[in-house]
């Protein structure tokens, strides 16, 4: 009998694995995460011409086969699917960790209600400070979420390291981008250029906080 098993083709072994899936205790262990991620894809792509909604059970079967029914690989592939769904979700005008995201123009328009350049500068400075605090909160929450991620320790460590690298890269990008935005003021006086820089800083911080929170929101927890 053992010899017959060893002589099975790859296709036959694959079919055996599929047939035995429902008896495997890991078969239903990621149903909630997979269904949520597939629903997000379907919601995001619902208005696309010719799009046929995905069947979450079909995606589950594909993940099962591609992971070769191994628990750690199944967890990893489910997490990748969830992260992809989060990244595909359209950015709404809704909440970040501290409220709504605003672009630079919207921030400047709101703060122009202060009635003077000094008042506008103070308003934008407050916006930049608030956005910095929101970003720090989002970073801390992301780190805590990754630390309790239901994944092998080596992947948790690697993701923590990459988060730190990403935050450093974002900080450098924000500094360079906002300097560029301020330079578009040309020969304007320094105060006007500062308004542009502050609005840019606040807008980028708000968006980064929202993106970061959304990216880790679907990670399965221990």
């Amino acid at each position: 009998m053992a010899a017959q098993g060893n002589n099975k083709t790859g296709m036959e072994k694959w079919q055996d694995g599929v047939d035995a899936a429902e008896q495997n205790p890991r078969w239903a262990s990621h149903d909630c995460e997979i269904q949520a991620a597939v629903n997000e894809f379907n919601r995001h792509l619902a208005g696309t011409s010719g799009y046929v909604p995905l069947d979450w059970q079909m995606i589950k079967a594909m993940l099962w086969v591609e992971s070769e029914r191994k628990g750690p690989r199944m967890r990893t592939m489910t997490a990748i699917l969830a992260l992809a769904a989060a990244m595909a979700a359209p950015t709404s005008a809704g909440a970040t960790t501290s409220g709504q995201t605003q672009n630079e123009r919207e921030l400047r328009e709101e703060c122009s209600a202060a009635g003077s350049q000094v008042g506008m500068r103070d308003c934008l400075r407050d916006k930049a400070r608030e956005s910095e605090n929101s970003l720090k909160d989002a970073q801390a929450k992301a780190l805590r979420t990754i630390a309790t991620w239901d994944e092998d320790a080596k992947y948790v460590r690697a993701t923590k390291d990459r988060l730190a690298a990403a935050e450093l890269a974002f900080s450098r990008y924000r500094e360079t981008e906002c300097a560029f935005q301020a330079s578009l003021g040309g020969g304007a006086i320094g105060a006007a250029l500062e308004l542009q820089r502050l609005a840019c800083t606040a807008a980028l911080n708000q968006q980064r906080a929202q993106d970061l929170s959304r990216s880790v929101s679907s990670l399965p927890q221990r």
Side-chain angles (χ1 to χ4, degrees):
M1 297 296 293
Q4 290 179 354
N6 290 335
N7 290 332
K8 285 186 176 183
T9 67
M11 182 63 182
E12 289 171 333
K13 291 178 181 178
W14 174 85
Q15 186 62 58
D16 287 345
V18 172
D19 292 342
E22 292 187 359
Q23 282 70 52
N24 192 303
R26 299 193 185 98
W27 171 244
S29 59
H30 298 287
D31 281 8
C32 291
E33 294 96 329
I34 296 170
Q35 191 168 7
V38 171
N39 287 344
E40 188 61 51
F41 274 112
N42 287 337
R43 183 179 69 82
H44 178 56
L45 297 172
T48 303
S49 177
Y51 177 70
V52 178
L54 298 173
D55 181 336
W56 76 270
Q57 291 179 315
M58 181 66 71
I59 300 300
K60 170 184 173 178
M62 292 168 63
L63 289 171
W64 180 260
V65 171
E66 292 302 319
S67 67
E68 298 177 357
R69 305 165 298 283
K70 296 177 182 176
R73 288 189 62 185
M74 185 70 170
R75 284 200 304 270
T76 301
M77 295 183 74
T78 301
I80 291 171
L81 174 67
L83 284 171
M87 292 172 69
T91 300
S92 68
T96 63
T97 52
S98 63
Q100 292 185 333
T101 60
Q102 296 171 287
N103 60 36
E104 295 171 44
R105 179 182 57 79
E106 291 168 337
L107 286 163
R108 290 195 301 272
E109 286 180 355
E110 180 180 333
C111 288
S112 66
S116 68
Q117 189 174 71
V118 172
M120 187 176 180
R121 180 200 63 199
D122 290 344
C123 174
L124 286 171
R125 189 172 288 163
D126 288 341
K127 293 283 187 183
R129 186 180 302 112
E130 290 167 6
S131 71
E132 183 71 25
N133 290 336
S134 294
L135 179 55
K136 288 179 180 178
D137 289 343
Q139 290 168 341
K141 183 178 179 180
L143 190 59
R144 290 195 301 270
T145 301
I146 293 168
T148 54
W149 182 16
D150 186 17
E151 184 52 273
D152 290 348
K154 64 179 180 180
Y155 297 118
V156 172
R157 287 193 299 270
T159 303
K160 285 181 178 180
D161 290 343
R162 287 167 185 162
L163 174 62
E167 292 314 310
L168 180 59
F170 169 75
S171 179
R172 290 171 175 167
Y173 164 74
R174 180 186 58 203
E175 181 179 356
T176 304
E177 174 64 16
C178 292
F180 163 69
Q181 292 294 333
S183 74
L184 296 176
I189 61 174
L193 301 182
E194 178 67 359
L195 297 180
Q196 184 78 356
R197 187 190 69 79
L198 289 169
C200 172
T201 298
L204 288 180
N205 283 344
Q206 286 182 10
Q207 188 60 55
R208 174 60 181 168
Q210 183 183 66
D211 291 345
L212 190 57
S213 296
R214 191 173 60 229
S215 293
V216 301
S217 64
S218 298
L219 288 181
Q221 298 291 286
R222 292 197 296 269

